[in-house]
Amino acid sequence: MRRFDLTLPRTVDDCVKILSDRGDDAKLVAGGTDLLPQLKNGLLKPRYVVDLSGVETLRAIRVANGSGLRLGAAVTARAIETEPHILSAYPALAESGALVGSLQIRNLATVGGNLCNAAPSADMAPPLLALDAEAVIVGPRGERRVPLTTFFLGVRKTVLAADELLVELVVPAPGPRSGGQYLRHTPRRELDIAVVGVASQLTLTDGVCRKAAIALASVAPTPVRAVAAERALTGQAVTPELIERAAELAVDAARPISDQRGSADFRRHLVKVLTRRTLTTALERARAARQEA
Amino acid sequence: MSTIMKTTRDVRGVGLAIPRADGAEKVTGRVEYVADIKRKGLLHAKLLRSPHAHARIVRIDTAKARALPGVRAVLTATDIPELKRKAPTRAHAVLAIDRVVFAGQPVAAVAADELAIAEEALDLIDVEYQVLPAAVDPLQSMQPGAPPVADAGTEADTSEALAHSAVAMAKGETRRADAPEPTKAVNVSQTAHVKRGDVAKGFAESDVVIEHTYRVPMVHQGYLEPHAVLAEWDRTGHLTLWASTQGSFNTRSEVADVLGVDENRITVIPVECGGGFGGKIRALCEPITAVLARATGRPVRYVMTRREELEAGMPAPQVIIRLKTGVKRDGTLMALEAETVLESGAFSGAVLAVSAVFLGSLYRWPAFDIKGSEVLTHKPSVAAYRAPVAPQTIFAIDSQMEALARALGLDPVEFRARHLSHPGEPMVNNQPWASHGGHEVLASAAGHRFWKERAAWKASAPAGRVRGTGLSLGGWLGGLQPTGATVKLNPDGTVSVLTGQVDIAGTNIALAQIAASAYGVDFEKVRITTGDTDVAPVTGLSAGSKTVYTVGVAVMQAAQDARRQTLEVAAGELEAAVEDLDIVDGRVVVRGMPDRGVTLTQIGRKGNLYMSKVQPILGSARTAFTQQAPAFASEIARIELDPDTGEVTLHGFVVVQDAGRAINPLGVEGQMQGGAVQSLGIALTEQLAYDDQGRLTNPSLLDYRKLTAADLPNIETIIVEVPSPSGPFGARGVGEPPIVPAPAAIANAVEDAAAVRITECPLTPERIAMKLAGRPAGKS
Amino acid sequence: MAKQVLSCTINDEPVEVLIQPYSTLLDALREDLGLTGPKEGCGTGDCGACTVHLDGQPVASCLVLAMQARNRNVRTIEGLAKGALHPLQDAFVRHGAPQCGFCIPGVLMAAAALLEANPRPTEEEIRYGIAGNLCRCTGYTKIVAAIAEAATLTSEGARA
């Protein structure tokens, strides 16, 4: 790793000030699990690194107004994996946190870092996309909210300006009779990265699908929603045949490349398999969910 | 008084399952590896490496790098007068002179006060390359007109290397590629050809002929500790190297040769080695680190990053085998034809002979025609990896035997057993097979519950999954190397053994047990010391499954020599004949007269007493024997397969292996389990994946996938003992055999589960799923 | 690029040391504090050889900047036991678990964290508990057996 200066802000305002001054030549570090490998490989050579680990507010998990979830950007994957409320109300999100790297990585990696690094394979992106989460961004011009569906611009590119930082994710409650699952395919059981990841979230009313969301990782420059598949499900009774149809439509939303992790053909094949499986489980979980506000 | 006297046979030694002596040091993190060693004034080294697989170096400008504060030296080839224009081996190509022949080849070296400064210095070195076409696929590289890798008069000249690496099959059967002609295949650096009988006739008379091409890509040995070396010169021009190496004497010789220094002006201290598996035999980092230390006048340490290891290490070769076999309907073997291509990277050095031996000699083929070629490409050159070329070769021949058995409707184990060579029968080089336990191993495997219950396992598959079982048989021919050892009796009656062999595989405890049993004391009284190249007898490599086999014999003989000397001294004291003496509980006693004895302490003290006439006891032995001891292993994989994703789940795995005589069963089990998991890595997940420009696309452990504990079941082990006539107490080498069988076992299991035969490793989920998805509609 | 003062607790001792701001925790432990137990196997969090406890949780210390450990609690293999071997260490020795030994400090720290959180793990939980630690020599079987045995010993001891 090359040399750099390190600042240790205590508040979000401190961070904003540093970024306004140093912006282009500075990088934020939270868990470091994406940044440090990039520094060591020489992909990034910032003069300044800003350590977020001293900003306590970024680590908060709040259940807002009794419904919905507010996740500080520096909440770790391990916290997301184990937090009881997330496990019960947002199982797809908990599952995605549980899959990041290894335990030694999950104790460091943050949801904010996962999203801001914006790799197409970011595990925590699909469930958050499927849950219609919003990003809360703070900069010198104040605070703004961006739906996660428009947060990602390309490979390793987000809407964040050089002088902004992500502070929180706001996740609306999925509502009663809702269920979701995140599955990904990897060659190994741990220490791996998604070849394809799929999150499905289904919300039912009187047995009919009121809302469907399917989000895909690793099959496009950014994580994407499979909109045509979602439309096919909305307003319908969800049968295995309809799930199969949605799985096929999900493949159309994928624009995968072939790289050393997988060929485009295999990725398309997996989109279908994992969409089918996550929709099936999402349906089971939706049916089993208790009526709760 | 009637006491039952213990004899030497009853000492606690050979055969005990006891932990290594250094266990407590390892579990407390106290053992030092090279990167843990501190020296005063230590500098840190970094190497600038070529991004191109083949290019001319037009210009290198190091001025800005040299000016960076904290940088103590920046070297290019022009700064190293010893460099040979014709580098006979990769170790000689310390820094590229005017051409690079693989992506990752070092072109400049920096030593600085801090690693971070050294890295910044690399950024400041300006290199202008003229990129040249690269030969990156071995089958294309073999064709006439391919971009040449070796170029007479510059690096990657392999003419001398051939003399070292070509293994003569028999006279005239291995040839070097001579001066290239325009129409000749310039990158074929070795060829070999063995035949017997008439294969054309054999195929014509066969009822079933099966032909497949098997392919196993380059893989990395995967040791956890990257290459590391610390070099320091003293003021007399003597070089000390603290090295992570499998052979301190080999390292010393190579460094001496590369730098033109006498071997006795170099001390190599073999520091605890964090894994080698063949990848730390040849010199790699030592010469350049020594040169940096000389240039700066300070100790310099170089530790490879993981990325450098994967991009510019010395991996196992890619092996491609086209295999055609013919049999009669009743299972009689008729003919075998094979073409093997070994991709050696930029320098020659693959071992062709092993492949031909296993292809043609493992089973009794009446007619065979086996051709082998070593091909150069613009990739990092290869080195050994635990049973070099054997896993890949067994993948081919064992998969083929399984396919033949299935095609004929014969039991796959009986088919192998029927045709497996027996000791005494000729190998492809017409040498007879040495004594081996292949049949016993196969019989034992066939009796394991995984094999016997395979039909029930297959039938038990849950909905949406399939299950299968695969068995395979392989092994290793055994290694040989001359070596020496000394054994001395201490004044307190304890015993000290000195060898030069690096204790990689827990061999030290086995050697202590051998010394204990050969001398006549309990192993707790024996201490093994691994000496550096100044103090130890010349010793061979800790590799090739030959450590216990060869060093064990040297230790055994040295201990026997020390015992003889001890008894001679005691015979004088006790006025008895040597033949009547025995060593019991630390005393030399006359058999049948337990009261007449002298303690080992007394004998030891006398050998160290002022004015004493008794010599100190010092046993020594030098060995160089030629008889190999082949060792066989069979592995069975019990799997479940998800046909939609291609994921294989291992529900059970067993290694059955002939150890000859398990000197330390605990250590032998550890070797079997570790080797089996490396074998499974080759089978399921590991490959060095290069793009069409010869650049590695997976230079991290995220994408170079070694199996984790969560991917594996317990590895069961069954030790079979068919003693070797030449090994110590009958022992055979145990390190190599277990890495051999798993790729074939997995391919056989996948065929059992899903009725597809995959002939390319690794059997990744993608490979399996896409093969299944390509099948005609209607199949399950 | 001025050095910074890192104040934290390491193996139950208060520590104050001057380090480079671009040091990782692994670097600081090994180079500035003489604690060479944690190893660098890959530098990118993919092998577990650098595993230490940060506030009781196992982390890849090669990915933690040293200053991120300020005012926090760090435990390395050197601090796993005082004097006598920890039951895990003892079980590893008796089972013949260490071979080359390079992965062992990291594996032991991961295993110790596992048993703290889950004193009676199943075999699968043990395997997942050390899944972030690569070992090339052993095939993991004896490591898993040693952890399982240590779990029975420590939980029995706790009940006693």
Side-chain angles (χ1 to χ4, degrees), chain A residues 1-3 41 45 185 187-189 191-192 260-263 266 269 277, chain B residues 116 119-120 123 307 642 644 647 649 697 701 703 705-706 710-711 766:
Chain A
M1 201 145 61
R2 291 151 189 78
R3 294 173 289 182
N41 278 325
K45 299 177 192 177
H185 169 73
R188 292 185 296 184
R189 277 159 186 72
L191 272 182
D192 221 323
Q260 50 89 12
R261 289 186 191 136
S263 68
F266 184 51
H269 172 86
R277 291 182 181 182
Chain B
E119 276 188 51
E120 289 178 23
D123 289 344
R307 190 186 177 117
D642 179 341
D644 283 333
E647 286 171 52
T649 303
T697 61
L701 291 182
D703 286 307
R705 293 180 166 83
K706 294 188 275 181
D711 297 307
E766 170 159 356

mmCIF file of all heavy atoms in Angstrom, chain A residues 1-3 41 45 185 187-189 191-192 260-263 266 269 277, chain B residues 116 119-120 123 307 642 644 647 649 697 701 703 705-706 710-711 766:
data_model
loop_
_atom_site.group_PDB
_atom_site.id
_atom_site.type_symbol
_atom_site.label_atom_id
_atom_site.label_comp_id
_atom_site.label_asym_id
_atom_site.label_seq_id
_atom_site.Cartn_x
_atom_site.Cartn_y
_atom_site.Cartn_z
ATOM 1 N N MET A 1 0.851 -1.190 0.000
ATOM 2 C CA MET A 1 0.000 0.000 0.000
ATOM 3 C C MET A 1 0.887 1.240 0.000
ATOM 4 O O MET A 1 1.851 1.309 0.740
ATOM 5 C CB MET A 1 -0.868 -0.039 1.263
ATOM 6 C CG MET A 1 -2.081 0.793 1.193
ATOM 7 S SD MET A 1 -3.487 0.050 2.071
ATOM 8 C CE MET A 1 -2.828 -0.037 3.724
ATOM 9 N N ARG A 2 0.542 2.205 -0.818
ATOM 10 C CA ARG A 2 1.331 3.443 -0.856
ATOM 11 C C ARG A 2 0.949 4.324 0.323
ATOM 12 O O ARG A 2 -0.042 4.110 1.002
ATOM 13 C CB ARG A 2 1.077 4.167 -2.184
ATOM 14 C CG ARG A 2 1.682 3.391 -3.358
ATOM 15 C CD ARG A 2 0.892 3.645 -4.633
ATOM 16 N NE ARG A 2 1.328 2.759 -5.698
ATOM 17 C CZ ARG A 2 0.988 1.478 -5.810
ATOM 18 N NH1 ARG A 2 0.199 0.928 -4.914
ATOM 19 N NH2 ARG A 2 1.442 0.751 -6.810
ATOM 20 N N ARG A 3 1.749 5.374 0.517
ATOM 21 C CA ARG A 3 1.535 6.214 1.700
ATOM 22 C C ARG A 3 0.358 7.153 1.504
ATOM 23 O O ARG A 3 0.048 7.562 0.391
ATOM 24 C CB ARG A 3 2.804 7.020 1.988
ATOM 25 C CG ARG A 3 3.975 6.121 2.395
ATOM 26 C CD ARG A 3 5.258 6.888 2.520
ATOM 27 N NE ARG A 3 5.773 7.304 1.223
ATOM 28 C CZ ARG A 3 6.915 7.963 1.054
ATOM 29 N NH1 ARG A 3 7.640 8.301 2.100
ATOM 30 N NH2 ARG A 3 7.329 8.299 -0.150
ATOM 31 N N ASN A 41 -3.770 -3.129 -4.471
ATOM 32 C CA ASN A 41 -3.559 -3.485 -5.871
ATOM 33 C C ASN A 41 -3.184 -2.290 -6.728
ATOM 34 O O ASN A 41 -2.972 -2.429 -7.929
ATOM 35 C CB ASN A 41 -4.821 -4.127 -6.447
ATOM 36 C CG ASN A 41 -4.898 -5.589 -6.083
ATOM 37 O OD1 ASN A 41 -3.883 -6.268 -6.000
ATOM 38 N ND2 ASN A 41 -6.099 -6.077 -5.854
ATOM 39 N N LYS A 45 -5.087 5.352 -5.568
ATOM 40 C CA LYS A 45 -3.898 5.882 -4.879
ATOM 41 C C LYS A 45 -4.239 7.241 -4.265
ATOM 42 O O LYS A 45 -3.680 8.270 -4.657
ATOM 43 C CB LYS A 45 -2.738 6.049 -5.871
ATOM 44 C CG LYS A 45 -2.308 4.740 -6.531
ATOM 45 C CD LYS A 45 -1.214 4.964 -7.566
ATOM 46 C CE LYS A 45 -1.005 3.728 -8.415
ATOM 47 N NZ LYS A 45 -0.001 3.914 -9.475
ATOM 48 N N HIS A 185 -25.426 -17.764 -6.356
ATOM 49 C CA HIS A 185 -24.632 -18.941 -6.695
ATOM 50 C C HIS A 185 -23.151 -18.594 -6.571
ATOM 51 O O HIS A 185 -22.692 -17.587 -7.137
ATOM 52 C CB HIS A 185 -24.920 -19.436 -8.109
ATOM 53 C CG HIS A 185 -23.922 -20.466 -8.553
ATOM 54 N ND1 HIS A 185 -23.929 -21.753 -8.059
ATOM 55 C CD2 HIS A 185 -22.830 -20.381 -9.339
ATOM 56 C CE1 HIS A 185 -22.899 -22.420 -8.572
ATOM 57 N NE2 HIS A 185 -22.215 -21.619 -9.350
ATOM 58 N N PRO A 187 -19.173 -20.802 -6.402
ATOM 59 C CA PRO A 187 -18.544 -22.121 -6.444
ATOM 60 C C PRO A 187 -18.176 -22.664 -5.060
ATOM 61 O O PRO A 187 -18.156 -23.864 -4.864
ATOM 62 C CB PRO A 187 -17.280 -21.895 -7.282
ATOM 63 C CG PRO A 187 -17.547 -20.657 -8.054
ATOM 64 C CD PRO A 187 -18.429 -19.813 -7.190
ATOM 65 N N ARG A 188 -17.854 -21.765 -4.111
ATOM 66 C CA ARG A 188 -17.534 -22.250 -2.758
ATOM 67 C C ARG A 188 -18.614 -21.797 -1.793
ATOM 68 O O ARG A 188 -19.385 -20.880 -2.096
ATOM 69 C CB ARG A 188 -16.195 -21.662 -2.273
ATOM 70 C CG ARG A 188 -14.988 -22.147 -2.997
ATOM 71 C CD ARG A 188 -13.712 -21.610 -2.362
ATOM 72 N NE ARG A 188 -13.590 -20.169 -2.441
ATOM 73 C CZ ARG A 188 -12.521 -19.488 -2.028
ATOM 74 N NH1 ARG A 188 -11.508 -20.138 -1.496
ATOM 75 N NH2 ARG A 188 -12.455 -18.174 -2.139
ATOM 76 N N ARG A 189 -18.649 -22.388 -0.633
ATOM 77 C CA ARG A 189 -19.689 -22.016 0.324
ATOM 78 C C ARG A 189 -19.380 -20.743 1.104
ATOM 79 O O ARG A 189 -20.277 -20.117 1.640
ATOM 80 C CB ARG A 189 -19.935 -23.173 1.298
ATOM 81 C CG ARG A 189 -20.884 -24.167 0.689
ATOM 82 C CD ARG A 189 -20.818 -25.553 1.316
ATOM 83 N NE ARG A 189 -21.668 -26.444 0.565
ATOM 84 C CZ ARG A 189 -21.390 -26.899 -0.646
ATOM 85 N NH1 ARG A 189 -20.253 -26.599 -1.225
ATOM 86 N NH2 ARG A 189 -22.243 -27.676 -1.273
ATOM 87 N N LEU A 191 -16.257 -17.269 1.549
ATOM 88 C CA LEU A 191 -15.106 -16.591 0.955
ATOM 89 C C LEU A 191 -15.287 -16.419 -0.544
ATOM 90 O O LEU A 191 -14.334 -16.485 -1.293
ATOM 91 C CB LEU A 191 -13.810 -17.393 1.180
ATOM 92 C CG LEU A 191 -13.042 -17.135 2.464
ATOM 93 C CD1 LEU A 191 -11.787 -17.980 2.488
ATOM 94 C CD2 LEU A 191 -12.681 -15.674 2.586
ATOM 95 N N ASP A 192 -16.515 -16.193 -0.988
ATOM 96 C CA ASP A 192 -16.754 -16.161 -2.419
ATOM 97 C C ASP A 192 -17.569 -14.942 -2.812
ATOM 98 O O ASP A 192 -18.024 -14.167 -1.968
ATOM 99 C CB ASP A 192 -17.443 -17.462 -2.866
ATOM 100 C CG ASP A 192 -16.875 -17.974 -4.193
ATOM 101 O OD1 ASP A 192 -16.548 -17.133 -5.057
ATOM 102 O OD2 ASP A 192 -16.769 -19.200 -4.357
ATOM 103 N N GLN A 260 -14.094 -14.472 -15.913
ATOM 104 C CA GLN A 260 -13.530 -15.719 -15.368
ATOM 105 C C GLN A 260 -14.383 -16.265 -14.225
ATOM 106 O O GLN A 260 -14.153 -17.373 -13.776
ATOM 107 C CB GLN A 260 -12.070 -15.500 -14.940
ATOM 108 C CG GLN A 260 -11.806 -14.303 -14.069
ATOM 109 C CD GLN A 260 -11.938 -14.606 -12.593
ATOM 110 O OE1 GLN A 260 -12.007 -15.764 -12.210
ATOM 111 N NE2 GLN A 260 -11.947 -13.588 -11.774
ATOM 112 N N ARG A 261 -15.396 -15.530 -13.792
ATOM 113 C CA ARG A 261 -16.292 -16.089 -12.776
ATOM 114 C C ARG A 261 -17.443 -16.858 -13.399
ATOM 115 O O ARG A 261 -18.080 -17.679 -12.741
ATOM 116 C CB ARG A 261 -16.861 -14.988 -11.880
ATOM 117 C CG ARG A 261 -15.809 -14.442 -10.974
ATOM 118 C CD ARG A 261 -16.327 -13.454 -9.959
ATOM 119 N NE ARG A 261 -15.181 -12.824 -9.341
ATOM 120 C CZ ARG A 261 -15.069 -11.528 -9.098
ATOM 121 N NH1 ARG A 261 -16.045 -10.714 -9.404
ATOM 122 N NH2 ARG A 261 -13.971 -11.048 -8.564
ATOM 123 N N GLY A 262 -17.759 -16.579 -14.632
ATOM 124 C CA GLY A 262 -18.874 -17.280 -15.267
ATOM 125 C C GLY A 262 -19.138 -16.744 -16.655
ATOM 126 O O GLY A 262 -18.869 -15.578 -16.933
ATOM 127 N N SER A 263 -19.687 -17.611 -17.505
ATOM 128 C CA SER A 263 -20.029 -17.159 -18.851
ATOM 129 C C SER A 263 -21.410 -16.509 -18.834
ATOM 130 O O SER A 263 -22.200 -16.721 -17.908
ATOM 131 C CB SER A 263 -20.056 -18.359 -19.800
ATOM 132 O OG SER A 263 -21.147 -19.197 -19.464
ATOM 133 N N PHE A 266 -24.168 -19.151 -18.719
ATOM 134 C CA PHE A 266 -24.388 -19.738 -17.398
ATOM 135 C C PHE A 266 -25.117 -18.743 -16.507
ATOM 136 O O PHE A 266 -26.004 -19.118 -15.725
ATOM 137 C CB PHE A 266 -23.051 -20.149 -16.784
ATOM 138 C CG PHE A 266 -23.150 -20.860 -15.463
ATOM 139 C CD1 PHE A 266 -23.987 -21.961 -15.306
ATOM 140 C CD2 PHE A 266 -22.391 -20.455 -14.374
ATOM 141 C CE1 PHE A 266 -24.068 -22.637 -14.083
ATOM 142 C CE2 PHE A 266 -22.463 -21.127 -13.153
ATOM 143 C CZ PHE A 266 -23.304 -22.207 -13.008
ATOM 144 N N HIS A 269 -28.713 -18.706 -17.339
ATOM 145 C CA HIS A 269 -29.287 -19.953 -16.809
ATOM 146 C C HIS A 269 -29.549 -19.819 -15.311
ATOM 147 O O HIS A 269 -30.611 -20.192 -14.802
ATOM 148 C CB HIS A 269 -28.295 -21.079 -17.115
ATOM 149 C CG HIS A 269 -28.628 -22.395 -16.489
ATOM 150 N ND1 HIS A 269 -29.478 -23.315 -17.074
ATOM 151 C CD2 HIS A 269 -28.233 -22.948 -15.318
ATOM 152 C CE1 HIS A 269 -29.571 -24.378 -16.296
ATOM 153 N NE2 HIS A 269 -28.834 -24.185 -15.225
ATOM 154 N N ARG A 277 -36.397 -20.139 -7.656
ATOM 155 C CA ARG A 277 -36.272 -20.592 -6.262
ATOM 156 C C ARG A 277 -36.615 -19.485 -5.274
ATOM 157 O O ARG A 277 -37.288 -19.732 -4.273
ATOM 158 C CB ARG A 277 -34.855 -21.106 -6.011
ATOM 159 C CG ARG A 277 -34.581 -22.399 -6.766
ATOM 160 C CD ARG A 277 -33.200 -22.950 -6.480
ATOM 161 N NE ARG A 277 -32.994 -24.180 -7.262
ATOM 162 C CZ ARG A 277 -31.899 -24.928 -7.213
ATOM 163 N NH1 ARG A 277 -30.902 -24.585 -6.427
ATOM 164 N NH2 ARG A 277 -31.793 -26.003 -7.958
ATOM 165 N N ALA B 116 6.069 0.623 1.758
ATOM 166 C CA ALA B 116 5.237 1.624 1.073
ATOM 167 C C ALA B 116 6.103 2.497 0.163
ATOM 168 O O ALA B 116 5.688 2.854 -0.941
ATOM 169 C CB ALA B 116 4.493 2.476 2.095
ATOM 170 N N GLU B 119 7.006 0.539 -2.911
ATOM 171 C CA GLU B 119 5.887 0.488 -3.865
ATOM 172 C C GLU B 119 5.788 1.773 -4.652
ATOM 173 O O GLU B 119 5.546 1.748 -5.859
ATOM 174 C CB GLU B 119 4.574 0.268 -3.118
ATOM 175 C CG GLU B 119 4.316 -1.178 -2.827
ATOM 176 C CD GLU B 119 2.928 -1.409 -2.261
ATOM 177 O OE1 GLU B 119 1.948 -0.923 -2.885
ATOM 178 O OE2 GLU B 119 2.827 -2.057 -1.230
ATOM 179 N N GLU B 120 5.951 2.891 -3.961
ATOM 180 C CA GLU B 120 5.900 4.178 -4.672
ATOM 181 C C GLU B 120 7.049 4.275 -5.664
ATOM 182 O O GLU B 120 6.898 4.844 -6.749
ATOM 183 C CB GLU B 120 5.956 5.332 -3.671
ATOM 184 C CG GLU B 120 4.672 5.465 -2.870
ATOM 185 C CD GLU B 120 4.756 6.585 -1.856
ATOM 186 O OE1 GLU B 120 5.578 7.502 -2.038
ATOM 187 O OE2 GLU B 120 3.983 6.531 -0.888
ATOM 188 N N ASP B 123 6.226 2.773 -8.935
ATOM 189 C CA ASP B 123 5.389 3.660 -9.766
ATOM 190 C C ASP B 123 6.250 4.644 -10.551
ATOM 191 O O ASP B 123 5.845 5.109 -11.613
ATOM 192 C CB ASP B 123 4.425 4.475 -8.893
ATOM 193 C CG ASP B 123 3.318 3.632 -8.298
ATOM 194 O OD1 ASP B 123 3.106 2.503 -8.774
ATOM 195 O OD2 ASP B 123 2.668 4.111 -7.345
ATOM 196 N N ARG B 307 -0.689 -11.853 -4.839
ATOM 197 C CA ARG B 307 -0.902 -11.574 -6.252
ATOM 198 C C ARG B 307 0.323 -11.992 -7.076
ATOM 199 O O ARG B 307 0.204 -12.606 -8.127
ATOM 200 C CB ARG B 307 -1.168 -10.077 -6.427
ATOM 201 C CG ARG B 307 -1.626 -9.762 -7.808
ATOM 202 C CD ARG B 307 -1.761 -8.269 -8.074
ATOM 203 N NE ARG B 307 -2.132 -8.114 -9.457
ATOM 204 C CZ ARG B 307 -3.274 -7.586 -9.887
ATOM 205 N NH1 ARG B 307 -4.148 -7.129 -9.041
ATOM 206 N NH2 ARG B 307 -3.520 -7.521 -11.168
ATOM 207 N N ASP B 642 -26.606 -30.758 -7.498
ATOM 208 C CA ASP B 642 -27.783 -29.962 -7.845
ATOM 209 C C ASP B 642 -27.734 -29.766 -9.361
ATOM 210 O O ASP B 642 -26.931 -28.976 -9.842
ATOM 211 C CB ASP B 642 -27.712 -28.623 -7.101
ATOM 212 C CG ASP B 642 -28.883 -27.710 -7.418
ATOM 213 O OD1 ASP B 642 -29.576 -27.918 -8.455
ATOM 214 O OD2 ASP B 642 -29.120 -26.776 -6.642
ATOM 215 N N ASP B 644 -29.457 -28.215 -11.466
ATOM 216 C CA ASP B 644 -29.759 -26.887 -12.006
ATOM 217 C C ASP B 644 -28.586 -25.930 -11.887
ATOM 218 O O ASP B 644 -28.361 -25.099 -12.757
ATOM 219 C CB ASP B 644 -30.961 -26.282 -11.277
ATOM 220 C CG ASP B 644 -32.274 -26.889 -11.752
ATOM 221 O OD1 ASP B 644 -32.321 -27.339 -12.916
ATOM 222 O OD2 ASP B 644 -33.239 -26.910 -10.961
ATOM 223 N N GLU B 647 -23.871 -27.494 -8.668
ATOM 224 C CA GLU B 647 -23.088 -27.549 -7.425
ATOM 225 C C GLU B 647 -22.948 -28.981 -6.932
ATOM 226 O O GLU B 647 -23.916 -29.723 -6.855
ATOM 227 C CB GLU B 647 -23.776 -26.726 -6.338
ATOM 228 C CG GLU B 647 -23.648 -25.228 -6.539
ATOM 229 C CD GLU B 647 -24.523 -24.461 -5.560
ATOM 230 O OE1 GLU B 647 -24.422 -24.731 -4.350
ATOM 231 O OE2 GLU B 647 -25.315 -23.626 -6.014
ATOM 232 N N THR B 649 -21.983 -31.263 -3.724
ATOM 233 C CA THR B 649 -21.778 -31.296 -2.284
ATOM 234 C C THR B 649 -21.134 -32.630 -1.935
ATOM 235 O O THR B 649 -21.632 -33.688 -2.311
ATOM 236 C CB THR B 649 -23.116 -31.171 -1.526
ATOM 237 O OG1 THR B 649 -23.755 -29.965 -1.943
ATOM 238 C CG2 THR B 649 -22.879 -31.128 -0.027
ATOM 239 N N THR B 697 -6.230 -13.767 -15.126
ATOM 240 C CA THR B 697 -7.466 -13.039 -14.827
ATOM 241 C C THR B 697 -7.950 -13.270 -13.403
ATOM 242 O O THR B 697 -8.912 -12.634 -12.974
ATOM 243 C CB THR B 697 -8.596 -13.462 -15.791
ATOM 244 O OG1 THR B 697 -8.830 -14.867 -15.605
ATOM 245 C CG2 THR B 697 -8.216 -13.191 -17.231
ATOM 246 N N LEU B 701 -6.955 -14.754 -4.019
ATOM 247 C CA LEU B 701 -7.542 -15.955 -3.434
ATOM 248 C C LEU B 701 -9.063 -15.899 -3.405
ATOM 249 O O LEU B 701 -9.710 -16.871 -3.035
ATOM 250 C CB LEU B 701 -6.986 -16.212 -2.033
ATOM 251 C CG LEU B 701 -5.516 -16.627 -2.016
ATOM 252 C CD1 LEU B 701 -5.072 -16.920 -0.574
ATOM 253 C CD2 LEU B 701 -5.289 -17.854 -2.887
ATOM 254 N N ASP B 703 -10.674 -15.377 -6.247
ATOM 255 C CA ASP B 703 -11.000 -16.024 -7.510
ATOM 256 C C ASP B 703 -10.125 -17.228 -7.839
ATOM 257 O O ASP B 703 -10.457 -17.990 -8.739
ATOM 258 C CB ASP B 703 -10.919 -15.005 -8.663
ATOM 259 C CG ASP B 703 -12.104 -14.063 -8.634
ATOM 260 O OD1 ASP B 703 -13.241 -14.585 -8.613
ATOM 261 O OD2 ASP B 703 -11.906 -12.846 -8.608
ATOM 262 N N ARG B 705 -9.727 -20.346 -6.301
ATOM 263 C CA ARG B 705 -10.530 -20.890 -5.195
ATOM 264 C C ARG B 705 -9.952 -22.164 -4.601
ATOM 265 O O ARG B 705 -10.017 -23.225 -5.216
ATOM 266 C CB ARG B 705 -11.941 -21.166 -5.706
ATOM 267 C CG ARG B 705 -12.667 -19.906 -6.061
ATOM 268 C CD ARG B 705 -14.061 -20.205 -6.567
ATOM 269 N NE ARG B 705 -14.846 -18.992 -6.578
ATOM 270 C CZ ARG B 705 -14.811 -18.100 -7.556
ATOM 271 N NH1 ARG B 705 -14.061 -18.308 -8.623
ATOM 272 N NH2 ARG B 705 -15.533 -16.993 -7.474
ATOM 273 N N LYS B 706 -9.460 -22.022 -3.365
ATOM 274 C CA LYS B 706 -9.090 -23.211 -2.618
ATOM 275 C C LYS B 706 -10.257 -23.565 -1.704
ATOM 276 O O LYS B 706 -10.961 -22.685 -1.226
ATOM 277 C CB LYS B 706 -7.837 -22.929 -1.780
ATOM 278 C CG LYS B 706 -6.609 -22.665 -2.649
ATOM 279 C CD LYS B 706 -5.348 -22.573 -1.814
ATOM 280 C CE LYS B 706 -5.136 -21.192 -1.267
ATOM 281 N NZ LYS B 706 -3.890 -21.118 -0.464
ATOM 282 N N ALA B 710 -15.887 -25.314 5.075
ATOM 283 C CA ALA B 710 -17.331 -25.462 4.872
ATOM 284 C C ALA B 710 -17.665 -26.236 3.603
ATOM 285 O O ALA B 710 -18.805 -26.665 3.421
ATOM 286 C CB ALA B 710 -17.992 -24.076 4.819
ATOM 287 N N ASP B 711 -16.688 -26.410 2.726
ATOM 288 C CA ASP B 711 -16.944 -27.130 1.478
ATOM 289 C C ASP B 711 -16.699 -28.627 1.623
ATOM 290 O O ASP B 711 -16.905 -29.384 0.665
ATOM 291 C CB ASP B 711 -16.006 -26.621 0.371
ATOM 292 C CG ASP B 711 -16.245 -25.166 0.046
ATOM 293 O OD1 ASP B 711 -17.415 -24.804 -0.233
ATOM 294 O OD2 ASP B 711 -15.283 -24.376 0.072
ATOM 295 N N GLU B 766 -20.425 -24.508 -13.234
ATOM 296 C CA GLU B 766 -20.779 -24.093 -14.593
ATOM 297 C C GLU B 766 -20.577 -25.225 -15.584
ATOM 298 O O GLU B 766 -21.445 -25.506 -16.421
ATOM 299 C CB GLU B 766 -19.945 -22.865 -15.018
ATOM 300 C CG GLU B 766 -20.125 -22.584 -16.494
ATOM 301 C CD GLU B 766 -19.780 -21.178 -16.919
ATOM 302 O OE1 GLU B 766 -19.446 -20.338 -16.059
ATOM 303 O OE2 GLU B 766 -19.869 -20.928 -18.133
#
